[in-house]
Amino acid sequence: MPTVRGSELIESWAARRGLAFTLRPDEAWFRRWEPYDTIAPPSAYIRACTWMTNPGHVVLVEPWYADGDADPLERTLLGFASHPALRHRASMRVGEHFLTRVAFIESPPPPRVVLGDALWDAHVTTFAASTREAAAAFHPRLRKLLATRGFHGHLELRRGGLVVHCAGLRPAPEHYESLLGVVREIVSAAVL
């Protein structure tokens, strides 16, 4: 992987916010979240910023979608959150983004479901083992938050955690800041 310029800006932002910064984070930690339901796995994860909270924590990271010395065509951020009160597994996406998973080699795609919420079902692609599980994961308070924010991207809820991709965010300090806020809001809304 080539040297990534601008890391000092993100490291400085993380220090000001009291977050730990790691240029080359532990790859194994991120790989345990894979396979994703809606997100293609990157070739590497770089520039992680970790915010510890009680309970759980939030990790913001840049997924690297290029091999060898090549630069990726697009760059973005992912947010991970661990929280013991997250109890359901379901995924959703709004839009088709460059990191949308299209190949299901190691695991079958999750079933697509509808919630019976006309606005949600018209704009969101939802995946879960059942409509009931999806409705429990994406309950009305969380759906309202995402609609109010005009959310575009991917959100995967897991038992004990979640993964967020917000379309349009790039690896810059102000976008790390935005993603931190989004992840914190989603966790607060998702926990009943």
Side-chain angles (χ1 to χ4, degrees), residues 7-17 21:
S7 295
E8 64 283 349
L9 297 173
I10 295 163
E11 183 175 15
S12 178
W13 168 81
R16 285 191 310 275
R17 293 288 277 128
F21 173 82

Side-chain angles (χ1 to χ4, degrees), residues 82-156:
S82 295
H83 194 289
L86 294 169
R87 299 184 319 252
H88 301 284
R89 182 176 182 113
S91 305
M92 59 79 78
R93 74 168 188 267
V94 177
E96 294 284 337
H97 310 284
F98 77 92
L99 53 57
T100 298
R101 184 175 177 190
V102 293
F104 292 87
I105 298 168
E106 68 279 352
S107 64
R112 184 174 176 177
V113 298
V114 295
L115 299 183
D117 174 330
L119 182 61
W120 177 272
D121 293 336
H123 299 285
V124 177
T125 305
T126 309
F127 303 93
S130 68
T131 299
R132 186 173 159 203
E133 181 71 6
F138 298 112
H139 53 77
R141 187 174 64 181
L142 180 55
R143 292 197 309 264
K144 181 178 179 183
L145 169 72
L146 296 171
T148 301
R149 284 190 131 282
F151 182 85
H152 276 262
H154 299 255
L155 172 56
E156 298 193 8

Side-chain angles (χ1 to χ4, degrees), residues 1-7 10 46-47 61-66 71-78 98-99 165-172 175-176:
M1 184 173 11
T3 302
V4 183
R5 294 177 297 282
S7 295
I10 295 163
I46 62 171
R47 301 197 291 201
V61 69
E62 180 180 353
W64 193 259
Y65 286 95
D71 283 339
L73 295 176
E74 299 234 16
R75 293 174 61 191
T76 193
L77 297 173
L78 293 176
F98 77 92
L99 53 57
H165 162 252
C166 292
L169 295 185
R170 303 285 178 255
H175 290 197
Y176 273 81

